[in-house]
Amino acid sequence: MNSTTALGSPSSMPSLYDRLAPLYDVVYGLGLQPGRRRAMAAMAVRAGERVLEVGIGTGLGALTYPAGVSVVGIDLSAAMLRRAAHRFRRPPQAHVALARMDAGALALPDDTFDAVYAPYMVNVVPDPVAVGRELRRVCRPGGRVVLLNHFAGAGAASPVVDRLAGRIAARLGDVDWDIDLGTFLAGSGLAALSVERVNFAGVSTLVVCRVPSRTLHPPCPSKEVS
Ligand SMILES: C[S@@+](CC[C@H](N)C(=O)[O-])C[C@H]1O[C@@H](n2cnc3c(N)ncnc32)[C@H](O)[C@@H]1O
């Protein structure tokens, strides 16, 4: 896709992120950027691949996609998407197409993307496992789902900083800080290839999953016709 477009309109109700949008980059920009950079490296996207970025926000995580990659970025907040569209108005990011969509019910076909990336968004949705299943569904078998998030049970490097960051995040937004990584992966039908602590004091977790091949059912035994 060669242009930045805004499509779809799941609900006209302003979200928390519509209100946060003007301040978002100041509050969540630099501090969370090391994780975004590390996720991009771990995702190892190549020219010719199709990528879905879920909860793209103002586009802070999408600044370094290599040339030749086709990127679709979705988000529920129209205000966040407007900021992303402004950021991507010129090359080299002009190949990012934007759409307003709910991550819990993606209006996208099965097996569409080589990589599906969800930076800092699984904590902020009401049903994380439903979102995890959607990420898996739209990723092709053998593709990768990359999660950058706070997960409980992923071995915080500093429990004190972890608790403090959780309190701050909960004050700033509607965040479920304690999603258990194992429960989330099992419910979503995903298995982690790697789990890595990132950002200051290892507060965030980068999880790279490979989507397994679809189960092949053996053909039904044919009935003997006499
Ligand atoms: C903490 S921000 C992360 C933004 C961006 N990924 C980043 O790295 O800065 C969470 C984003 O998820 C979006 N979001 C929340 N619920 C969503 C949903 N159900 N479907 C799609 N996006 C959603 C918010 O509008 C917001 O832009």
Side-chain angles (χ1 to χ4, degrees):
M1 292 179 199
N2 294 319
S3 62
T4 304
T5 51
L7 316 164
S9 154
S11 148
S12 54
M13 218 168 68
S15 71
L16 168 72
Y17 285 94
D18 287 323
R19 294 193 298 276
L20 268 181
L23 282 178
Y24 186 84
D25 291 2
V26 178
V27 180
Y28 296 99
L30 274 183
L32 298 180
Q33 203 59 1
R36 297 184 185 102
R37 272 200 294 272
R38 183 67 204 116
M40 194 60 74
M43 195 160 36
V45 197
R46 295 176 298 275
E49 288 196 309
R50 292 155 305 166
V51 180
L52 175 68
E53 187 169 325
V54 180
I56 192 167
T58 62
L60 285 169
L63 295 173
T64 53
Y65 284 111
V69 175
S70 162
V71 184
V72 176
I74 70 105
D75 202 285
L76 203 50
S77 159
M80 296 291 270
L81 284 171
R82 273 197 296 278
R83 287 183 175 259
H86 183 73
R87 175 164 268 139
F88 300 149
R89 69 194 181 284
R90 286 193 214 104
Q93 272 89 35
H95 59 297
V96 180
L98 299 172
R100 187 155 179 244
M101 213 179 275
D102 182 354
L106 293 170
L108 295 164
D110 295 358
D111 304 344
T112 303
F113 297 94
D114 299 293
V116 177
Y117 172 39
Y120 307 121
M121 75 86 56
V122 171
N123 294 99
V124 306
V125 293
D127 188 345
V129 167
V131 169
R133 286 202 197 110
E134 281 294 87
L135 306 184
R136 180 184 191 269
R137 179 183 68 75
V138 298
C139 190
R140 68 164 172 81
R144 55 257 190 234
V145 171
V146 177
L147 306 155
L148 173 59
N149 209 60
H150 180 272
F151 286 109
S158 163
V160 177
V161 176
D162 190 66
R163 271 199 301 278
L164 186 64
R167 280 200 205 125
I168 295 169
R171 277 189 170 241
L172 289 171
D174 197 4
V175 171
D176 180 356
W177 196 245
D178 290 320
I179 298 169
D180 180 74
L181 177 59
T183 309
F184 171 81
L185 292 174
S188 307
L190 291 166
L193 278 182
S194 66
V195 178
E196 188 184 332
R197 307 292 309 189
V198 293
N199 287 333
F200 177 70
V203 161
S204 311
T205 307
L206 175 62
V207 185
V208 179
C209 308
R210 177 81 55 190
V211 171
S213 304
R214 305 266 177 257
T215 313
L216 292 176
H217 297 289
C220 296
S222 53
K223 278 189 186 160
E224 294 267 324
V225 181
S226 54

